[in-house]
Every structure is written in C-alpha cells, then in structure tokens.
C-alpha cells in the first residue's frame, strides 16, 4: 500500500488547521485566561491551561499559513512573500511566548514562590518588548491579507 497525499488534501488540512486554530485562540484568551499577568494570577490553575490552548492555537495557525501560502504563492508576488515571512515570525514568536507561559512559568513559580517570571505588561521580561519587532506583525498581516485577497480574486 502506497499512502499518497494529494495537494487538495493538504490544502484542506491546512484550512482545517486555520479554522481550529482560529477558534481555539478566543477560547484561550476570553474563556480561560486570567485577568492579567500579575504573579497572583500565574498561580491559578487556568493559567497553564489558557497558555497551552494558545500555544496549540498559534501552532495550528502556523501550519495553516504554510498551506494557504502554498496554494496562493504563485499569484501573491514578492510582497505576499514578505507578508508571509512576517506572519510566520509572528506565529513562532507567539508559540514561544505562550509555551513559556504554559510550561516554564508554573515550574518557576513552584521553585521560587512569590517571584515573577514575566514582565508586568507581557509574557517575557525582555527589554523594550523586542521593539520594533512587533510592528512587523501588523505589516505582515496587512501585506499577506491584502495580497491573499487579491490572489483569490485574480483570474
């Protein structure tokens, strides 16, 4: 038996990954996530659950983006490629941040009670929040989204 996966099947799996990832994100943020990143909330049982769901969400979106770009790459041009690279960077950054919050923060809190493992306004205590790196996320969303829309409508 020779298992082969066709291109349309990969595109459907990528689309399903985008849908499931897109649905899991709001569940992680709006339903499970504590009100802030304060130390008191990092000890809540929903902290790890929320960030695990968000890690899975962004990982699925990342997989789906590869399928979407593979389908539309010929018609998206260089600007679409730049947007895709920025979006992949954003997804990898978010997977790293949420995985850190889901798996490392609880271990640090159990080892060093009362200490903070994150910054007051964000997941990692990094200088300036990696500015201007987050600005490329918005540029990637605009470029990739607009050129994907254009590629879908082009004959």
């Amino acid at each position: 038996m020779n298992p082969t996966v066709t291109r349309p099947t990969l595109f459907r799996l990528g689309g399903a990954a985008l849908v499931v990832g897109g649905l899991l994100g709001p569940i992680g943020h709006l339903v499970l996530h504590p009100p802030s990143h304060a130390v008191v909330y990092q000890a809540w049982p929903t902290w790890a659950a929320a960030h695990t769901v968000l890690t899975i969400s962004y990982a699925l979106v990342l997989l789906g983006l590869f399928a979407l770009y593979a389908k539309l790459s010929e018609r998206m041009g260089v600007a679409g490629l730049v947007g895709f690279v920025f979006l992949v960077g954003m997804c990898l950054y978010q997977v790293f941040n949420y995985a850190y919050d889901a798996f490392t923060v609880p271990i640090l809190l159990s080892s060093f009670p009362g200490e903070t493992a994150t910054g007051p306004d964000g997941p990692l205590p990094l200088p300036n929040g990696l500015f201007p790196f987050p600005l490329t996320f918005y540029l990637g969303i605009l470029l990739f989204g607009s050129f994907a829309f254009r590629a879908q409508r082009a004959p």
Side-chain angles (χ1 to χ4, degrees):
M1 183 168 133
N2 184 9
T4 58
V5 179
T6 63
R7 287 175 57 97
T9 302
L10 286 176
F11 297 149
R12 284 188 201 101
L13 288 172
L18 280 171
V19 169
V20 173
L23 292 174
L24 284 177
I27 292 171
H29 274 291
L30 302 175
V31 176
L32 297 173
H33 200 278
S36 77
H37 279 246
V39 177
V40 67
Y41 297 121
Q42 293 174 7
W44 282 18
T46 58
W47 175 270
H51 289 91
T52 301
V53 168
L54 290 168
T55 301
I56 293 168
S57 170
Y58 271 97
L60 288 172
V61 167
L62 181 63
L63 292 174
L65 281 175
F66 277 99
L68 181 61
Y69 183 73
K71 183 168 181 67
L72 301 175
S73 63
E74 294 174 359
R75 295 181 293 199
M76 288 182 69
V78 175
L81 173 64
V82 170
F84 173 72
V85 169
F86 286 160
L87 276 181
V88 167
M90 177 192 72
C91 287
L92 289 172
Y93 177 75
Q94 295 294 15
V95 166
F96 171 73
N97 280 333
Y98 290 132
Y100 174 81
D101 281 344
F103 307 114
T104 306
V105 169
I107 293 170
L108 290 174
L109 286 174
S110 66
S111 301
F112 306 102
E115 294 294 324
T116 182
T118 65
D121 296 326
L124 292 175
L126 296 173
N128 300 325
L130 291 181
F131 184 81
F133 187 61
L135 293 178
T136 62
F137 300 163
Y138 301 113
L139 181 62
I141 290 169
L142 288 173
L143 283 174
F144 188 80
S146 61
F147 282 89
F149 180 74
R150 187 186 70 142
Q152 291 273 350
R153 298 183 50 102

